[in-house]
Amino acid sequence: MTPARVLAGPPAADALLSDVAARAARLPRPPHLAMVRLGDDPASVSYVRGKDRRAREVGLGSAVYALPETTPQAELLALIARLNADDAVSGILVQLPLPAHVSEQAVLHAIDPRKDVDGFHPLNVGELWAGRPTLIPCTPAGILYLLDLYGLPVAGQRAVVVGRSPIVGRPTAALLLARDATVTLAHSRTRDLGAVTREADLLVVAVGQPHLITPEMVRPGATVIDVGINRVPGGPGGKAHLTGDVHPDVAGVAGAITPVPGGVGPLTIAALLANTVTAAEMQAGRRVPGASAR
Ligand code: NAD
C-alpha cells in the first residue's frame, strides 16, 4: 500500500492567516483581541504570547491582561464586563485552565457571546449543535479548515471522533454533523473501540494517550486526524519529545494523516484569529449571526 498523504499544518495555517489578514483589512478598523490570563503557568504564558504575536502579524489589534493568580473572581468578572462594553474590543479570550478559586463556568458565561472567540459560551455551543456554527471552538474549526484546504470530503463520510471533551471532541462531532458527515462519538467508555474506529472514512482522535490508535484499528485508505499532543521521553539528548494519539505505523494504512507535531496544532491559533475577524464582521453588521463562513 502507498504511504498516507501527509496533511501538513503550517501551509494550511498560512493560507487561513492570509485569508484572515485580507478580511481584517476590509473592515473599517482592525479587529481587536483581548486576552486575559491569571497567574504564570508557563504553558499559558507561552500560548497567550503566541496568540498575541500572530494577531499582530496579520494586522489585528491585541492586548494581554496578565492578572495575578490570586485575583478574586469578582474582579475578573468586572474586567470581562468592561471588555464586553468596549466597542473597540471585537473578541475576548480567557486562557484556561483557571485557578481553583475561579469558576470556569461563571467566567465563560460572562463573556458576551458575540465576542466569544473561543466558542465556549453555551449560546455558541447550542448554535453549533443546532447546525448553525458561528463562533466555533478553535481546534475543531482548524480541523475542518485543514480538511477543506486539502480537498478531503466531509459530507456523507462516516466520521468517528474519539474523545468527547468540550474543547475538542464534542464540538468536532457537532461541526462534522453540521457539514453532513455521519458521526459517531467514541470515548473512554466505548466498548471495542477498534470495531468503531474501523468504520471510519474520517477518523479524528483527541484523547491524550500516546499511540492509542494502532494500524489494525484503521480502515485502509481512511483520513486520520491526530489531535493528541503527548510529551514522552526519548527525544534527542534525553529530552521529552512530542507524539500523537495515533501510532506512526498507521501512516502505512491510512489514505491521509496529520503529523504530530506540525499537523492540527498550527491551525488552532489561525482559527482563533479567524473567529476574531468573524466577531468583528458581525459587530460591524457585515455578517449575520448564525451564518457560518463555510
Ligand atoms: P481531555 O482529557 O479533556 O479529553 C480526553 C477524552 O478522551 C475524554 O473525552 C475521554 O472520554 C477520552 N478517552 C480517554 N481515554 C480513552 C480511551 N482509552 N479510549 C477512548 N477515549 C478515551 O482532552 P482534550 O482537551 O480533548 O485533549 C485531547 C488531546 O488533544 C490532548 O493530547 C491535548 O494535548 C490535545 N489537544 C491538542 C490541541 C491542538 O492541537 N491545538 C488542542 C487541544 C487539545
Side-chain angles (χ1 to χ4, degrees):
M1 192 151 177
T2 48
R5 181 178 174 203
V6 176
L7 308 174
D14 286 348
L16 180 51
L17 286 169
S18 49
D19 183 45
V20 165
R23 284 168 57 201
R26 286 197 289 272
L27 282 160
R29 62 174 182 224
H32 182 93
L33 175 61
M35 288 180 281
V36 183
R37 71 170 166 76
L38 262 62
D40 294 317
D41 168 59
S44 293
V45 171
S46 134
Y47 290 148
V48 169
R49 191 183 296 132
K51 291 166 187 176
D52 180 53
R53 183 172 51 80
R54 280 303 223 182
R56 290 164 194 275
E57 277 169 11
V58 294
L60 270 58
S62 171
V64 178
Y65 298 81
L67 308 182
E69 178 150 16
T70 51
T71 303
Q73 177 169 309
E75 213 172 288
L76 176 58
L77 294 178
L79 171 61
I80 293 171
R82 278 203 305 281
L83 297 171
N84 282 342
D86 185 345
D87 286 344
V89 173
S90 324
I92 303 168
L93 175 149
V94 177
Q95 184 65 42
L96 303 178
L98 289 165
H101 70 278
V102 179
S103 156
E104 196 175 291
Q105 290 291 89
V107 168
L108 297 181
H109 286 223
I111 295 171
D112 181 339
R114 294 170 314 141
K115 297 188 176 186
D116 168 38
V117 286
D118 254 341
F120 296 153
H121 189 284
L123 190 97
N124 286 320
V125 175
E127 291 284 19
L128 176 57
W129 280 102
R132 294 185 296 268
T134 308
L135 292 175
I136 313 158
C138 302
T139 301
I143 292 171
L144 266 291
Y145 191 83
L146 187 79
L147 292 169
D148 289 343
L149 192 92
Y150 284 100
L152 294 160
V154 176
Q157 298 288 292
R158 280 172 302 178
V160 175
V161 179
V162 189
R164 57 176 164 181
S165 74
I167 294 172
V168 192
R170 274 173 209 254
T172 300
L175 199 47
L176 290 168
L177 184 60
R179 292 281 303 273
D180 300 321
T182 302
V183 181
T184 301
L185 187 49
H187 47 79
S188 54
R189 302 290 294 274
T190 297
R191 268 186 284 121
D192 196 356
L193 183 64
V196 176
T197 56
R198 266 193 303 278
E199 288 287 311
D201 303 312
L202 171 57
L203 178 60
V204 180
V205 190
V207 170
Q209 281 184 28
H211 305 175
L212 173 73
I213 303 297
T214 50
E216 65 282 3
M217 297 168 79
V218 176
R219 199 179 62 73
T223 295
V224 179
I225 306 293
D226 187 355
V227 186
I229 301 175
N230 306 291
R231 272 176 207 286
V232 294
K239 285 194 187 152
H241 77 115
L242 296 184
T243 193
D245 290 347
V246 175
H247 194 284
D249 290 351
V250 170
V253 181
I257 192 164
T258 55
V260 177
V264 173
L267 269 302
T268 298
I269 292 184
L272 167 72
L273 303 180
N275 272 347
T276 307
V277 177
T278 300
E281 288 168 347
M282 287 193 296
Q283 289 151 30
R286 304 218 177 165
R287 180 192 286 274
V288 183
S292 169
R294 44 189 50 256

